[in-house]
Amino acid sequence: MQQQPYEPLGAQAADGSPRILVVDDDPTVAEVVAGYLDRAGYVVDRAGDGPTALTRATAHRPDLVVLDLMLPGMDGLEVCRRIRGHGPVPVIMLTARGDEDDRILGLEVGADDYVTKPFSPRELVLRVESVLRRSRPADTGHRLGAAGLTVDPAARRATKNGTELALTLREFDLLSFFLRHPGRAYGREDLMREVWGWDFGDLSTVTVHVRRLRGKVEDDPARPRLIQTVWGVGYRFDPAGEED
């Protein structure tokens, strides 16, 4: 059966407050997170497992999902995939593990951010605010374009040779940054600061998003010509597309 798209973002809360869906099978964690988000002014829905999360997300499209990786019956990765199958929704992944592979898996399926348990609820609220701020259409901003790629910041729409690209929030921001700064090499620390707005964090986040973006904008992601690796530095967007 064909999946039905979600209703437009922000259509659920009568007062215009963003709606956050918190998905965690630990009721204590869910209650604490929901309480902090509620006090921060968000409308909060809760779900304790994957199927319930999908039902809630379909009934009322969330503006953002806080999603535990380890869930009974259906893990957070599958929930993320299915929610994203209806349309773009920002996701912050929670994981009780410190294993890097788990974090990278979350990013690979399109999570916009992740927080490792135990975490500070206040930090999580700040992460939510950061992701939502970047997900809103820009009030100003000129269309960007190079090498067959175009980005419309106001509409948050990107195309390649006229075909729309299905980009996550961070992929869109990363592509926009590259288009604004062609020909200049940036380290992963620079990209984390400029694109994510963080002065610290796991640099593998940048690596994974560059790889995902290459998979969508490069003709041959295994031999990238547009987003090139500058060894010992980081990455450079080269509109001429000359292979190193």
Side-chain angles (χ1 to χ4, degrees), residues 123-188:
E123 177 190 353
L124 178 59
V125 171
L126 291 175
R127 296 287 186 100
V128 167
E129 291 173 349
S130 173
V131 172
L132 283 176
R133 184 168 57 250
R134 290 176 176 270
S135 70
R136 298 185 183 106
D139 294 329
T140 60
H142 300 292
R143 290 171 64 96
L144 307 168
L149 299 169
T150 63
V151 164
D152 184 343
R156 293 200 70 87
R157 182 173 182 265
T159 62
K160 176 183 178 182
N161 298 326
T163 300
E164 188 158 2
L165 296 171
L167 301 181
T168 66
L169 167 65
R170 297 299 188 187
E171 290 166 0
F172 183 93
D173 290 343
L174 187 58
L175 178 59
S176 299
F177 183 82
F178 280 137
L179 286 171
R180 288 190 180 98
H181 304 281
R184 179 176 173 181
Y186 287 91
R188 292 188 299 170

Side-chain angles (χ1 to χ4, degrees), residues 31-210:
E31 183 176 355
V32 170
V33 170
Y36 270 81
L37 290 171
D38 179 71
R39 287 191 291 275
Y42 299 106
V43 175
V44 182
D45 287 337
R46 288 169 53 179
D49 55 58
T52 302
L54 297 177
T55 299
R56 297 278 173 83
T58 301
H60 297 290
R61 183 189 185 183
D63 292 281
L64 182 143
V65 180
V66 176
L67 179 61
D68 188 20
L69 177 64
M70 302 299 293
L71 293 171
M74 181 188 302
D75 66 23
L77 298 178
E78 182 61 24
V79 174
C80 185
R81 291 189 188 97
R82 295 195 186 190
I83 287 178
R84 283 281 174 77
H86 290 277
V89 176
V91 173
I92 296 178
M93 195 78 76
L94 303 180
T95 173
R97 305 180 190 176
D99 187 59
E100 183 178 4
D101 290 341
D102 290 328
R103 300 196 298 270
I104 290 177
L105 276 174
L107 296 171
E108 288 284 10
V109 299
D112 298 285
D113 196 359
Y114 68 86
V115 177
T116 302
K117 297 179 181 178
F119 57 86
S120 162
R122 291 183 179 181
E123 177 190 353
L124 178 59
V125 171
L126 291 175
R127 296 287 186 100
V128 167
E129 291 173 349
S130 173
V131 172
L132 283 176
R133 184 168 57 250
R134 290 176 176 270
S135 70
R136 298 185 183 106
D139 294 329
T140 60
H142 300 292
R143 290 171 64 96
L144 307 168
L149 299 169
T150 63
V151 164
D152 184 343
R156 293 200 70 87
R157 182 173 182 265
T159 62
K160 176 183 178 182
N161 298 326
T163 300
E164 188 158 2
L165 296 171
L167 301 181
T168 66
L169 167 65
R170 297 299 188 187
E171 290 166 0
F172 183 93
D173 290 343
L174 187 58
L175 178 59
S176 299
F177 183 82
F178 280 137
L179 286 171
R180 288 190 180 98
H181 304 281
R184 179 176 173 181
Y186 287 91
R188 292 188 299 170
E189 297 90 345
D190 299 322
L191 293 172
M192 178 161 283
R193 182 174 58 254
E194 298 294 335
V195 177
W196 276 258
W198 306 340
D199 290 323
F200 61 90
D202 185 351
L203 296 180
S204 65
T205 300
V206 177
T207 306
V208 170
H209 279 80
V210 168

